[in-house]
Amino acid sequence: LHYIHQHHTEKITVRDLSEKFFCSVSSISHMFKSTCGCSISDYITNLRMETAKAMLANSDMSILSVALNVGYTECSYFSNVFKKNCGISPSVYRKQQHGG
């Protein structure tokens, strides 16, 4: 978990984690899900979304900059993931946080 929190804005795959921590992909996936209650990719996505929400609420960074800072290379993909997870687009979220 510490490693994921330190590197969640980078490209992290389950294979990368299995190699880093010397266990199989299936073992690390199973251990993570039994410990945290979700998949590694879902955990990373949720962590990225929480980071993105804080950036949107507390900065004037463009949505593209926020997307890049939390590990997404395409703004449209970031916006789709954000909307799927938060129910609204990043721009609407920002407006709501700024009283609009």
Side-chain angles (χ1 to χ4, degrees), residues 10-48:
E10 302 166 18
K11 184 179 182 233
I12 302 174
T13 66
V14 177
R15 180 164 304 286
D16 295 335
L17 293 172
S18 72
E19 290 172 5
K20 176 155 184 65
F21 297 107
F22 307 105
C23 60
S24 71
V25 169
S26 60
S27 292
I28 198 166
S29 296
H30 179 74
M31 284 187 287
F32 194 93
K33 187 158 186 142
S34 66
T35 303
C36 297
C38 64
S39 70
I40 294 169
S41 61
D42 285 347
Y43 189 89
I44 292 169
T45 298
N46 291 336
L47 191 55
R48 287 177 172 177

Side-chain angles (χ1 to χ4, degrees), residues 58-77:
N58 300 311
S59 77
D60 292 327
M61 293 171 67
S62 70
I63 292 173
L64 174 59
S65 293
V66 171
L68 294 172
N69 275 280
V70 298
Y72 292 91
T73 56
E74 295 181 26
C75 190
S76 60
Y77 182 67

Side-chain angles (χ1 to χ4, degrees), residues 49-50 53 81-89 93:
M49 293 300 106
E50 290 305 311
K53 288 194 286 188
V81 172
F82 190 95
K83 189 169 186 176
K84 180 181 175 192
N85 281 267
C86 303
I88 54 177
S89 70
Y93 181 84

